[in-house]
Structures are given as C-alpha cells and as structure tokens.
Amino acid sequence: QLRLIISSVVGHFSVSVVARIVLLYYQYFRIEMRDDDFLFMAANLLRESFYGWITSTPLSFALERCFATIFSSWYD
C-alpha cells in the first residue's frame, strides 16, 4: 500500500509540475490571463488542487497508521 501512495504522490506531482510550467509560460511571455482561457484555468485549478491533495495525503497516511496501531489485533 505504501508503493501505491508513493506512486500516487509522484503522479500528482508530475501533473502539478506541468501546470506550473504552463503558468510560468503565461507569466514569462506576458500573455493576458483571461477568465475564459481554458488552458490557464485548467492549469490554475490543477495547481490549486495539488496543494490541497498533498496536504491531505500525510494526514490520511497518519490516520491509517493510527487505526492500524489501535486495532492491531484484527487489522492486517
């Protein structure tokens, strides 16, 4: 299960890096950032969702380990 968590973190991080590169491209070439630009909005939403996801991952891992410690007699 730890390998699944690590591969999920790597996958989400890769998507976040691509979103960050798109946003840096917009800033570097001074492209107008309009609200109806799909690429800009998608990159911004992916970046924001990654921040929420990466902060909740350690919490869920810690809760799973806490549950395993408390109920170790039947948890496997």
Side-chain angles (χ1 to χ4, degrees), residues 8-50:
S8 180
V9 167
V10 169
H12 278 83
F13 183 72
S14 301
V15 170
S16 177
V17 167
V18 171
R20 174 57 79 179
I21 290 171
V22 168
L23 293 174
L24 287 174
Y25 176 81
Y26 269 74
Q27 290 176 352
Y28 184 74
F29 290 108
R30 299 191 195 314
I31 298 173
E32 183 181 346
M33 298 179 193
R34 300 183 323 263
D35 288 340
D36 62 344
D37 189 358
F38 175 75
L39 185 60
F40 171 70
M41 290 301 290
N44 198 18
L45 287 173
L46 283 172
R47 184 181 60 109
E48 292 294 328
S49 67
F50 175 74

Side-chain angles (χ1 to χ4, degrees), residues 38-71:
F38 175 75
L39 185 60
F40 171 70
M41 290 301 290
N44 198 18
L45 287 173
L46 283 172
R47 184 181 60 109
E48 292 294 328
S49 67
F50 175 74
Y51 290 146
W53 185 84
I54 200 65
T55 56
S56 66
T57 299
L59 176 66
S60 65
F61 184 69
L63 288 175
E64 189 265 338
R65 290 287 93 202
C66 179
F67 185 79
T69 302
I70 292 171
F71 300 105

